[in-house]
Amino acid sequence: MGKPLTIQAEDDVKIEALKKQLGLKTKIEVVRSALKLLEAEADRQTRVERWRKAAKIVGGSGLEILKEFVNPNRFKNIP
């Protein structure tokens, strides 16, 4: 069976209120739904951190390549 979890009185009141508000049958359903949200947020933060690292690596070289394609004469022949 599961391991016991000690819940403080004020937390119990919050869980009961959420249980009624969300229409859930048990307290563990409230806790599981909260865990799902926390896992999703943790996954999002991990992805954002990977994107930041990738952007730092590629960012400088991207600007150098973009400078190669800058051509001020390209707009002279537009009517």
Side-chain angles (χ1 to χ4, degrees):
M1 189 111 182
K3 297 185 179 191
L5 180 66
T6 304
I7 298 174
Q8 302 298 322
E10 53 272 358
D11 295 332
D12 188 50
V13 171
K14 290 179 186 179
I15 291 172
E16 284 294 331
L18 284 170
K19 185 172 90 170
K20 290 178 185 175
Q21 184 178 0
L22 298 173
L24 301 174
K25 294 180 182 178
T26 62
K27 291 180 185 179
I28 193 63
E29 288 177 341
V30 175
V31 173
R32 286 182 182 144
S33 64
L35 285 174
K36 285 180 186 178
L37 291 173
L38 285 171
E39 286 175 346
E41 178 63 20
D43 290 342
R44 186 189 73 77
Q45 288 178 356
T46 302
R47 284 193 313 273
V48 167
E49 188 57 35
R50 279 197 323 251
W51 293 338
R52 282 189 182 139
K53 286 180 183 178
K56 282 183 180 180
I57 293 169
V58 178
S61 65
L63 289 175
E64 292 172 10
I65 292 171
L66 185 61
K67 287 178 184 178
E68 293 178 12
F69 290 99
V70 173
N71 184 358
N73 296 328
R74 66 182 170 168
F75 296 113
K76 285 186 177 179
N77 297 329
I78 297 177

